Amino acid sequence: MFSKRNMIISLVKRIMFSICVVLIFIIGKNIPNPFINGTFLKGENIYISPKYFHDFSLFRLGLSPWVAGTIITGLVAKTKKWSQNREQWTEKILILIIATLQAYTLTSNLDIRLSNRCAGIIVFVSGSILVSWLSNMNSNFGIGGVLILFVGNIVLSIINSFNIIFVHYFNNMFITFMVVFTIMIIVINTLVSKAERRIEIINVLISKRLSQESYMPIKLAPAGSMPLMFGMSIFEVIHNIIQIVQQFFLKGKIVQWLLQNLTYTSFFGVSIYMMIVLLLTLLFGYFQVDPYEKAKNMQFDGNFIPGLYPGSDTEKYLRRVTVVYSSMYGMYLMLVSGVPLLFSSGRLINVRVLMIPSVGIMLTDFITRIVDEIKITLLNRQYSKFF
């Protein structure tokens, strides 16, 4: 029997569990790796900075290995048609490998003993696995799933960015411009994320009046802010791979040039990052809509789009619509996230501040998703079971 009191109690329990998960994550981000000392850097690294971009905490890797492993496994499993069990095991192994590689490159510029370095790598990898476990636990017992940890990380990033602004005394005009620009981008992105293209659908099994009101919604921004978040992780993984190649296999000028220029402070690096964002927007948009499955289900249910034959013609039409909208939104994300970085003047301090608009987009998108999940949870609790 439906009870509003029980529904509220259950929701409060989930929210409290998520708050505890975020608090554990924040505490872990402030617990230093006992085997690593961030002051023992061998040299200046243009990609990372020990003060602003680089910390040696327990949760330093965060969800970056999970993000990269999920993308790669998902794409391969989609093309190879793997079973769910094989996909899960492959994803776990790949996450462990990526976490180890990232932890290795993280400690490559530290002038410490080999034993401390190996122990530090184990701590970093264990912290990444613990973060993944926390996200899974929150998916089962909390609100927001894995997004709640991204929200916590983004909030910490925004706080650090404003600390940088106040410490380095940025120009007041620059600060005002960044605040106004960020608010404008957040408002535009919120409106775009809610907009959708409604494609008319004819269903022969229902009345003509109801059939005329049937439609298939295709969002103008099917990928949301996920390309920005995943793009940063993929960008970091690519840099880590090049660094490992440079250390063990190739030490030529080309690899060294790539290592120095594949950063957020160079035109080449920002261009690569923008292309990654655009490509991920197209991929996420396509897999989110999934024209093949939609066309297949429509044909099976007896539905069709006026003027199109069921099957391949419908799939081609839906694919074309998805590609067009994803490309438009991808160009928008690419410009919003990448163009401000071109004005960093090669300074890492400016990069963190210029990423505030992108971070704001991710934060508002994640909060919107979490609010929608709470609404759905409340709606589901209003229905009682038959058996």
Side-chain angles (χ1 to χ4, degrees):
M1 191 70 181
F2 166 71
S3 174
K4 187 174 182 180
R5 180 175 177 273
N6 292 337
M7 177 189 67
I8 295 176
I9 291 176
S10 176
L11 181 61
V12 170
K13 287 181 179 179
R14 285 182 168 271
I15 293 176
M16 293 302 296
F17 185 88
S18 296
I19 293 175
C20 291
V21 169
V22 174
L23 290 177
I24 294 174
F25 178 75
I26 293 175
I27 293 173
K29 291 284 288 185
N30 290 277
I31 297 177
N33 190 322
F35 302 99
I36 301 295
N37 191 333
T39 61
F40 294 107
L41 286 172
K42 291 181 179 179
E44 180 64 21
N45 192 317
I46 196 173
Y47 178 70
I48 52 180
S49 171
K51 190 172 183 181
Y52 298 111
F53 267 5
H54 200 76
D55 67 79
F56 299 95
S57 65
L58 176 62
F59 292 161
R60 169 61 180 89
L61 300 182
L63 286 167
S64 179
W66 176 85
V67 168
T70 301
I71 291 179
I72 297 174
T73 306
L75 293 177
V76 175
K78 198 80 173 179
T79 56
K80 300 293 184 179
K81 296 182 179 179
W82 286 349
S83 63
Q84 186 176 1
N85 186 50
R86 183 179 181 183
E87 181 179 352
Q88 290 177 350
W89 276 105
T90 304
E91 180 180 304
K92 292 178 181 178
I93 296 173
L94 189 58
I95 289 174
L96 182 61
I97 294 175
I98 294 175
T100 304
L101 293 177
Q102 288 188 335
Y104 174 82
T105 57
L106 197 63
T107 59
S108 61
N109 286 335
L110 299 179
D111 190 11
I112 56 178
R113 292 184 301 177
L114 179 62
S115 59
N116 284 0
R117 185 180 182 185
C118 294
I121 290 175
I122 293 175
V123 171
F124 283 136
V125 174
S126 301
S128 178
I129 294 175
L130 180 57
V131 171
S132 300
W133 178 79
L134 286 174
S135 66
N136 290 332
M137 292 295 292
N138 189 67
S139 299
N140 296 328
F141 305 106
I143 292 293
V146 69
L147 295 180
I148 199 70
L149 293 183
F150 285 117
V151 171
N153 196 37
I154 288 173
V155 171
L156 291 177
S157 177
I158 293 176
I159 293 174
N160 292 332
S161 299
F162 279 105
N163 286 337
I164 293 173
I165 291 176
F166 291 123
V167 169
H168 291 271
Y169 303 103
F170 280 80
N171 185 279
N172 291 333
M173 184 65 68
F174 173 79
I175 297 175
T176 303
F177 171 78
M178 285 299 299
V179 171
V180 174
F181 179 73
T182 302
I183 294 175
M184 181 182 67
I185 291 300
I186 289 175
V187 172
I188 293 175
N189 196 78
T190 303
L191 295 176
V192 172
S193 64
K194 295 296 183 181
E196 62 184 19
R197 163 78 179 277
R198 296 183 174 182
I199 301 176
E200 182 183 356
I201 295 178
I202 303 298
N203 191 327
V204 296
L205 300 180
I206 61 177
S207 65
K208 184 177 180 181
R209 181 181 62 84
L210 294 177
S211 179
Q212 292 175 349
E213 298 175 358
S214 301
Y215 63 87
M216 176 190 299
I218 302 293
K219 285 191 173 183
L220 300 184
S225 65
M226 303 302 284
L228 295 178
M229 176 190 65
F230 283 75
M232 294 178 184
S233 298
I234 294 295
F235 189 81
E236 184 176 353
V237 170
I238 293 175
H239 186 275
N240 292 336
I241 293 175
I242 294 178
Q243 188 172 350
I244 292 175
V245 170
Q246 191 264 345
Q247 289 182 0
F248 289 99
F249 302 102
L250 300 174
K251 298 182 181 295
K253 294 182 179 180
I254 296 179
V255 178
Q256 185 64 29
W257 183 88
L258 288 174
L259 194 61
Q260 293 178 350
N261 288 274
L262 195 65
T263 69
Y264 293 114
T265 58
S266 69
F267 178 81
F268 174 78
V270 174
S271 300
I272 295 297
Y273 170 69
M274 293 168 68
M275 294 304 298
I276 291 174
V277 170
L278 178 60
L279 179 61
L280 288 178
T281 306
L282 292 172
L283 289 176
F284 282 131
Y286 184 85
F287 288 127
Q288 186 72 22
V289 178
D290 201 346
Y292 173 77
E293 286 295 327
K294 273 189 168 51
K296 179 181 176 181
N297 293 334
M298 288 177 59
Q299 187 176 19
F300 180 80
D301 296 335
N303 304 335
F304 66 92
I305 299 175
L308 295 175
Y309 288 106
S312 60
D313 286 351
T314 302
E315 179 189 352
K316 292 178 181 178
Y317 174 76
L318 294 177
R319 186 190 305 125
R320 184 169 63 251
V321 172
T322 303
V323 170
V324 170
Y325 289 157
S326 297
S327 300
M328 293 171 57
Y329 187 64
M331 292 292 293
Y332 163 75
L333 287 183
M334 186 176 68
L335 294 176
V336 169
S337 63
V339 171
L341 296 178
L342 297 177
F343 298 93
S344 64
S345 302
R347 299 181 62 196
L348 290 170
I349 298 174
N350 294 348
V351 169
R352 175 59 67 89
V353 176
L354 292 172
M355 278 188 170
I356 291 179
S358 300
V359 172
I361 290 176
M362 289 188 287
L363 181 61
T364 52
D365 182 53
F366 294 159
I367 292 177
T368 302
R369 291 171 183 263
I370 293 174
V371 171
D372 291 340
E373 181 179 339
I374 293 175
K375 292 180 179 178
I376 294 174
T377 302
L378 291 175
L379 182 62
N380 290 336
R381 295 285 179 177
Q382 295 181 12
Y383 295 91
S384 57
K385 296 182 180 180
F386 285 106
F387 303 100

